[in-house]
Amino acid sequence: YWRDWSSDVCSSDLTQLIPIQDNSRFELGQLLSKYRQIGVAKNIKVSFSDIPKDHWAKEYISELAAMEIIGGFPDGSFRPNAAVTRGELAALLQRVFMKSKIRKAVAFKDIPPRHWAYNAIRESYEMGFFHTLGSKKFNPTQKLTRLDVLITLAKGLNYQFTDSTENILSVYSDASTLKGEQIGRAHV
């Protein structure tokens, strides 16, 4: 299912879940195009000063910005090559996933109620994303690697892999750069 924000953007209706058929790239493309049109019509910023017209991800960035899933920085930039922080990932996960809460919120010592990502951190943690191993700190400014993000997603979505680590990583050209302790890491 794809989360439908058009009702949020266009009216006061509740968010809807729209089923997407297995091989429906056209349908998904049409849906994303609709969101971009809505975003542009609502004067939502869908282009950024540091994303050139020929950037490989320009269309994806614009569509996600129009859907208000991602946004730029106050200076008008997007910073596509900057590392994502735990706080930023929590905000993204909160906007993208509609999951039941599987655990109680934690009062993280380093996240005051006025923190820009306070609600996103609480909600994404309650949904099962992120692990703290008994620590009462969230570390919202900790920069994440691609592996950290993948582990967070896999654990939060209860992904159970049935293949070997080597086979799973074989699709990534930089898989050989991962160290054994990174692959076996149990938390993010």
Side-chain angles (χ1 to χ4, degrees), residues 15-86:
T15 300
Q16 302 172 5
L17 292 180
I18 297 177
I20 301 292
Q21 303 303 319
D22 287 339
N23 293 314
S24 61
R25 284 186 181 175
F26 176 77
E27 184 181 346
L28 183 57
Q30 293 290 79
L31 186 61
L32 291 175
S33 175
K34 173 179 143 186
Y35 288 119
R36 177 186 267 170
Q37 291 167 6
I38 292 168
V40 170
K42 288 196 62 151
N43 213 15
I44 296 169
K45 184 167 181 66
V46 297
S47 62
F48 302 94
S49 61
D50 56 347
I51 305 292
K53 291 180 181 182
D54 61 347
H55 189 277
W56 70 270
K58 181 187 183 309
E59 297 301 314
Y60 301 107
I61 293 167
S62 296
E63 288 164 358
L64 290 171
M67 294 165 63
E68 296 183 286
I69 293 174
I70 60 173
F73 291 88
D75 66 0
S77 67
F78 181 74
R79 303 177 192 163
N81 297 320
V84 174
T85 66
R86 284 174 59 93

Side-chain angles (χ1 to χ4, degrees), residues 118-137:
Y118 177 81
N119 288 329
I121 290 167
R122 285 180 62 92
E123 289 176 29
S124 61
Y125 181 83
E126 290 173 319
M127 288 188 286
F129 296 102
F130 300 106
H131 295 275
T132 60
L133 293 179
S135 170
K136 291 289 187 171
K137 289 190 174 186

Side-chain angles (χ1 to χ4, degrees), residues 97-140:
F97 294 104
M98 294 176 53
K99 284 186 64 196
S100 298
K101 295 176 180 178
I102 63 167
R103 60 184 171 198
K104 294 184 181 201
V106 171
F108 293 110
K109 292 178 182 178
D110 57 344
I111 309 294
R114 295 177 316 279
H115 189 277
W116 71 269
Y118 177 81
N119 288 329
I121 290 167
R122 285 180 62 92
E123 289 176 29
S124 61
Y125 181 83
E126 290 173 319
M127 288 188 286
F129 296 102
F130 300 106
H131 295 275
T132 60
L133 293 179
S135 170
K136 291 289 187 171
K137 289 190 174 186
F138 184 79
N139 299 317

